[in-house]
Amino acid sequence: MNNYLSLSPEVKQALEQGKPVVALESTIISHGMPYPQNVETALRVEQTIRENGAVPATIAIIGGKLKAGCTPEEIEYLGKKGQAITKASRRDLPVLIARGEDGATTVTTTMIIAAMAGIKVFATGGIGGVHRGAEKTMDISADLEELAQTPVMVICAGAKSILDLGLTLEYLETKGVPVIGYGTEELPAFYTRHSGFKVDYRIDTPEELAAAFKAKIDMGLKGGMLVTNPIPEEYSMPADVINKAIDTAIAESVKAGIHGKETTPFLLAKVKELTGGDSLVSNIQLVLNNARLAAKTASALAK
Ligand code: PSU
Ligand code: MN
């Protein structure tokens, strides 16, 4: 452990006693949803993890400390400050920490901090990936590199088709990251259950997810595992509605000259604006669904 890491008493005790712990990211709180739904959702996700037998560890950077386990007050702070909190990826850590600043952790930095703390399972909504047009822009999320090197299982609802899902899968294949479909052979696309792309393996139980991840760690194969869990049918969105919104959002981002770390938040906000409250309801439900699966998988892994 290092001087920069700060575990909440509950998370520290759970890890010492070998109890199941599930990591949660904070970019989804500060940048992914509007206030106050972001705070309500973050607290509900924590509650869902508890109800399913694990301890939640919301991860964030507060005052230059790498936090694993935030208090409700800290979650309120992250949600209320929103976009004013730096979206922190791997390259942001050194300066933010040295300056004692705050940061909302992406999938990348949540994995880094979870691994430092000894947390193996992480639940979120969607991951970053290879952007459409990356053959020109080279915009590829650091999330993919992190999955290639850091030993954390990430449970998500797939990736939004703001990305090039085919290229994202190719990249993960090159990097040796197993892509699992939970109860499905098809990669889910966040708001919808279907993308037309196949995952590497279909797994149907938390126990089998745990066994596969344990085998990976035991063999000393570096990197994580990506579990894609489709949004529950009743909350999935019509594909034509969401695809139209995504196409419009991408066209607007190109016109506005958006690039770098602003791209993903810009596209997510535009899609939300174009689809109204429906996409927010779906977003909340798929995160809760991932939290349930993550708690069960962390429990299976702890046995
Ligand atoms: N995709 C989503 N919702 C999100 C993100 C991505 O559907 O909230 C966030 C996650 O924190 C992810 C980050 O790690 O955006 C990726 O950003 P970038 O594409 O700039 O790497
Ligand atoms: Mn990027």
Side-chain angles (χ1 to χ4, degrees):
M1 225 174 274
N2 60 53
N3 291 332
Y4 304 109
L5 185 63
S6 162
L7 305 186
S8 73
E10 187 193 17
V11 167
K12 185 166 185 285
Q13 190 185 44
L15 290 168
E16 279 166 6
Q17 296 177 349
K19 288 193 181 144
V21 178
V22 174
L24 299 162
E25 64 156 300
S26 46
T27 289
I28 195 173
I29 304 175
S30 297
H31 295 259
M33 288 182 195
Y35 180 81
Q37 285 95 336
N38 54 0
V39 173
E40 283 161 21
T41 303
L43 296 174
R44 243 177 110 187
V45 168
E46 288 208 338
Q47 183 59 26
T48 301
I49 286 171
R50 290 183 202 285
E51 284 163 6
N52 286 276
V55 170
T58 296
I59 289 181
I61 301 161
I62 298 180
K65 285 279 180 203
L66 309 172
K67 290 257 183 191
C70 286
T71 62
E73 293 71 31
E74 286 167 335
I75 289 174
E76 171 75 22
Y77 172 77
L78 292 164
K80 209 164 194 175
K81 262 194 113 178
Q83 313 274 340
I85 297 203
T86 304
K87 174 182 158 193
S89 192
R90 177 177 268 271
R91 57 104 185 257
D92 300 292
L93 290 181
V95 175
L96 285 182
I97 298 308
R99 288 183 176 166
E101 289 185 10
D102 300 327
T105 55
T106 62
V107 168
T108 296
T109 38
T110 304
M111 288 179 77
I112 294 172
I113 298 167
M116 278 180 195
I119 303 169
K120 299 187 188 75
V121 179
F122 162 23
T124 188
I127 60 155
V130 180
H131 279 266
R132 296 195 202 171
E135 60 275 18
K136 277 236 171 82
T137 63
M138 290 183 71
D139 189 351
I140 299 173
S141 175
D143 292 354
L144 301 183
E145 289 294 327
E146 211 56 52
L147 280 161
Q149 62 177 316
T150 301
V152 173
M153 186 196 300
V154 179
I155 301 185
C156 68
K160 292 197 182 88
S161 45
I162 58 170
L163 303 172
D164 186 320
L165 298 182
L167 290 187
T168 300
L169 288 174
E170 293 291 351
Y171 200 95
L172 289 167
E173 181 196 0
T174 301
K175 294 289 177 172
V177 178
V179 179
I180 310 298
Y182 189 71
T184 181
E185 269 146 41
E186 191 179 345
L187 179 76
F190 198 89
Y191 292 122
T192 62
R193 295 171 62 88
H194 306 289
S195 68
F197 293 99
K198 287 196 95 171
V199 294
D200 304 331
Y201 293 93
R202 170 181 174 159
I203 289 183
D204 292 332
T205 65
E207 290 72 27
E208 207 194 332
L209 288 177
F213 191 60
K214 182 176 183 300
K216 182 169 191 197
I217 303 293
D218 287 352
M219 285 185 285
L221 294 177
K222 70 170 186 162
M225 191 166 119
L226 186 65
V227 177
T228 62
N229 185 26
I231 182 170
E233 192 82 62
E234 62 268 39
Y235 297 110
S236 72
M237 293 187 66
D240 54 332
V241 171
I242 200 70
N243 290 335
K244 205 173 142 237
I246 286 171
D247 288 343
T248 306
I250 290 175
E252 287 192 25
S253 78
V254 171
K255 221 171 96 191
I258 305 292
H259 58 89
K261 72 188 287 190
E262 305 309 331
T263 302
T264 297
F266 179 92
L267 293 175
L268 297 180
K270 268 283 170 248
V271 169
K272 223 162 285 164
E273 188 187 305
L274 292 164
T275 54
D278 292 357
S279 66
L280 185 57
V281 171
S282 297
N283 201 342
I284 293 168
Q285 289 299 329
L286 65 85
V287 178
L288 293 172
N289 191 45
N290 297 338
R292 279 187 287 272
L293 179 59
K296 289 178 189 159
T297 304
S299 300
L301 206 52
K303 288 210 177 97

